[in-house]
Amino acid sequence: MTDDDANAPWLIVGLGNPGPEYAGNRHNVGFMVADLLAERIRGKFKRAQKAQAQVVEGRMGPPGPANRRVVLAKPMSYMNLSGGPVTALRDFYKVPTAHIVAVHDELDIDYGVLRLKIGGGDNGHNGLKSMTKSMGPEYHRLRFGIGRPPGRMQVADFVLKDFSSTERKELDHFVDRAADAVECLVTEGLERAQSAYNS
């Protein structure tokens, strides 16, 4: 990474589906984390000029060298078309791919467990599949565990259902921890964030 890249902004993308009917879905946990991060940097989402997305611009981290310029984004294109808006935002804000973080739900991890990594496959996640198709796989991911569907429930039905009442009791805590993990990644780097938050 060049010095220019090191000073470039970070693009933090919460993956989800737009519209009130999807707001509480497991598939929308990326939006929930993005909303909390926007609150923390005291910003309000507004329509992006150059992409089908809502964005907030601000700064993250303590004053000094660890303070980072960030763009928080929620694609408004539906999950399986996320790559287009993210690529448009990357180009508009001149963000290196290694400064992009996708926050998304993950079926293969227990509920509330977090995993941070860079690169890798999409594991059948349509939002990641679309992003990788548009710009390659070398972006960061914060995987937020939602667990597997119970019994014979189809995966598509499970991810498009709201969190259960039992899950909702801990949801705020887990979303808060996920937002902490993103802040740690952006201000202190992947290795530090992984050792603190990969459970």
Side-chain angles (χ1 to χ4, degrees):
M1 199 182 279
T2 66
D3 285 347
D4 280 351
D5 282 351
N7 295 320
W10 283 76
L11 174 59
I12 299 155
V13 182
L15 292 178
N17 286 307
E21 68 273 33
Y22 298 106
N25 289 181
R26 292 181 178 92
H27 224 17
N28 269 43
V29 75
F31 275 18
M32 296 173 197
V33 175
D35 285 338
L36 179 56
L37 286 167
E39 264 178 53
R40 289 183 179 186
I41 65 170
R42 296 185 174 84
K44 276 194 164 41
F45 278 100
K46 59 179 196 283
R47 228 175 102 219
Q49 290 179 323
K50 303 289 181 183
Q52 195 179 354
Q54 290 184 352
V55 294
V56 175
E57 296 176 54
R59 300 198 77 87
M60 193 174 276
N67 192 257
R68 299 280 181 261
R69 192 154 69 91
V70 296
V71 180
L72 306 175
K74 297 192 292 186
M76 293 285 117
S77 57
Y78 290 100
M79 183 70 86
N80 59 351
L81 299 171
S82 301
V86 176
T87 304
L89 291 170
R90 177 199 66 181
D91 295 347
F92 180 71
Y93 289 103
K94 298 180 172 52
V95 178
T97 304
H99 273 206
I100 296 172
V101 186
V103 183
H104 65 93
D105 57 304
E106 176 60 64
L107 286 157
D108 286 338
I109 306 176
D110 289 341
Y111 175 58
V113 173
L114 302 176
R115 291 272 194 283
L116 286 141
K117 67 173 190 170
I118 187 166
D122 57 55
N123 213 14
H125 192 287
N126 288 331
L128 296 182
K129 197 175 289 183
S130 178
M131 283 180 62
T132 297
K133 189 177 174 188
S134 292
M135 60 190 186
E138 292 305 309
Y139 52 90
H140 288 87
R141 298 102 191 274
L142 173 61
R143 305 156 75 201
F144 184 114
I146 60 170
R148 301 293 304 183
R152 296 184 177 184
M153 187 188 289
Q154 294 295 312
V155 164
D157 294 333
F158 179 69
V159 299
L160 292 176
K161 277 198 171 11
D162 286 3
F163 286 99
S164 69
S165 54
T166 308
E167 288 169 334
R168 280 199 298 273
K169 288 174 185 163
E170 293 184 289
L171 183 59
D172 286 350
H173 166 70
F174 290 143
V175 168
D176 196 59
R177 195 161 177 273
D180 290 347
V182 171
E183 289 190 10
C184 185
L185 168 65
V186 168
T187 59
E188 299 183 54
L190 179 60
E191 212 170 290
R192 173 81 185 88
Q194 284 175 325
S195 67
Y197 294 97
N198 278 15
S199 35

